Every structure is written in structure tokens, then in C-alpha cells.
Amino acid sequence: MNEWLFRLAKKIVNRRADTLVIEVSGGLPQPEYSGCYRCGKTGTLVDGLHSYDNYILCNDCATPWLQREILRLRTAKSRSRKYNTHCDIQLLEWIQTLVDFDGRCAYCGAKHRITLDHFIPLELGGETVIENLLPACSRCNARKGSLWPSQVKFITDERLQHLADYLKTRAGKRGISTEIGGRLESMA
């Protein structure tokens, strides 16, 4: 096997060092997990365990809905790297946000085609942190685009204030980043 491929595989495994133990067999790293977060089943990636942050889930516990949310957060982290902005979002925090909005769009209340929306867009310096993320239907997310929330015509001032208050509350539970905190304060 090529040496560069082995180093690449080792780098990927080392990124998840807090949840992995590396075993080398036949020159390939074999990640061994401590077990599924919900049921305790142990195994490897090959056995069908899914990982996100420090949460490991087996195929039985990783429902299609949960797998979709994991993919959504991975995509958000990737976009955050593209714009070189701060990213610190945990799976359980995002799920709590979805529960808070009953799985509905934060702007119009629709329950279909929900996406992850940056309240302050990445293009304008927004971060991928829980105090800047809301569920939005794909229609509202596309209409909002990379505009400041106050510039979007379809969001009423009352609704905008409600969402800003919600995000401030979420930030208070976690410890808010100063940049997002200042921007939310200026909207109040």
C-alpha cells in the first residue's frame, strides 16, 4: 500500500482520537469504537457504526432522520470552513433547536423540506454556532439568501424580534460568542 495513503488514513482516524483506538492490521488503521451512544453495541465503521462529534450510533439507532441531520451538520461545518468562519455546533444542540420549533420553519411555520439556516449569513460574517442557526424551509432559506435578517421583506419585525430573542436565549445557555452577541443586541 502507498505510504501517503496510509498517512492520510491515519490523519483521518487521528481527528477522532477521543472516540477511537487505532489497531493496525495489514497496514490499514481499523477504528474500534467504545460503543453506540444509545444501545452500547460495539464495532467498527465497517460494521456500520455512524459517528458525529463524540456520538457513535449503530445502524439500528441511527434512524434515517438522524442520519439526515448528521449530514446536514457536516455540510454546515464544510461551508463554515469554506468561508473561514467559526464553527462549533453539536448534534444534540441542533436537535433541541428542531424540537423548539416543532420541526417547522422558523420564518413561515412550514413543516416540509427543512434546512439549516444561518440567521446572520456566513457571507456576512455569521458563524456556525447554535446562537446563529435556525430551521428554515428551503423556500424561506432561498428567499432570505445572504441578506441581513432585517433586510428580508417577508419576515415581519415582530417575528424577527421573536427569533432574535430566541437566539439570545440559546446563546445564554451556552455562553455567547461576542460577535454574534453584539449583532443580536443591535437588532433588539
Side-chain angles (χ1 to χ4, degrees):
M1 184 168 106
N2 291 342
E3 184 62 29
W4 70 269
L5 185 59
F6 181 79
R7 283 195 312 267
L8 176 65
K10 194 168 183 175
K11 277 184 189 177
I12 292 168
V13 171
N14 285 337
R15 284 185 187 161
R16 301 180 184 149
D18 28 313
T19 59
L20 297 174
V21 176
I22 301 172
E23 295 178 1
V24 178
S25 74
L28 292 174
Q30 297 294 318
E32 182 69 32
Y33 289 98
S34 57
C36 175
Y37 178 73
R38 292 185 64 199
C39 70
K41 179 179 175 182
T42 60
T44 64
L45 285 175
V46 178
D47 298 328
L49 291 181
H50 305 276
S51 73
Y52 182 79
D53 292 335
N54 292 327
Y55 302 103
I56 313 301
L57 297 166
C58 66
N59 279 334
D60 298 331
C61 296
T63 63
W65 175 83
L66 193 54
Q67 290 178 28
R68 185 175 60 241
E69 296 311 318
I70 288 170
L71 179 61
R72 191 182 320 271
L73 292 181
R74 282 186 178 146
T75 303
K77 284 186 174 189
S78 175
R79 286 190 66 226
S80 187
R81 280 192 298 273
K82 176 183 171 188
Y83 287 98
N84 199 24
T85 61
H86 178 70
C87 177
D88 183 20
I89 177 69
Q90 302 296 317
L91 178 61
L92 294 182
E93 291 175 326
W94 173 244
I95 290 173
Q96 182 59 53
T97 300
L98 291 172
V99 167
D100 290 347
F101 285 93
D102 193 29
R104 296 180 180 276
C105 175
Y107 303 112
C108 72
K111 200 164 174 106
H112 63 283
R113 300 177 65 198
I114 297 300
T115 63
L116 182 147
D117 179 53
H118 291 83
F119 190 66
I120 299 171
L122 290 174
E123 294 88 345
L124 300 176
E127 300 173 337
T128 304
V129 290
I130 199 60
E131 56 265 20
N132 191 39
L133 299 175
L134 292 170
C137 68
S138 56
R139 181 173 181 257
C140 287
N141 200 348
R143 287 174 66 194
K144 182 175 166 280
S146 61
L147 297 174
W148 285 100
S150 57
Q151 295 174 320
V152 180
K153 303 291 186 220
F154 71 91
I155 305 174
T156 64
D157 290 339
E158 182 180 310
R159 186 68 181 161
L160 185 65
Q161 184 60 49
H162 172 74
L163 294 174
D165 290 344
Y166 169 79
L167 292 171
K168 280 190 269 185
T169 302
R170 291 291 295 188
K173 291 179 183 175
R174 183 176 195 222
I176 190 166
S177 65
T178 55
E179 182 181 348
I180 298 292
R183 292 181 181 183
L184 290 175
E185 288 298 323
S186 68
M187 291 181 167

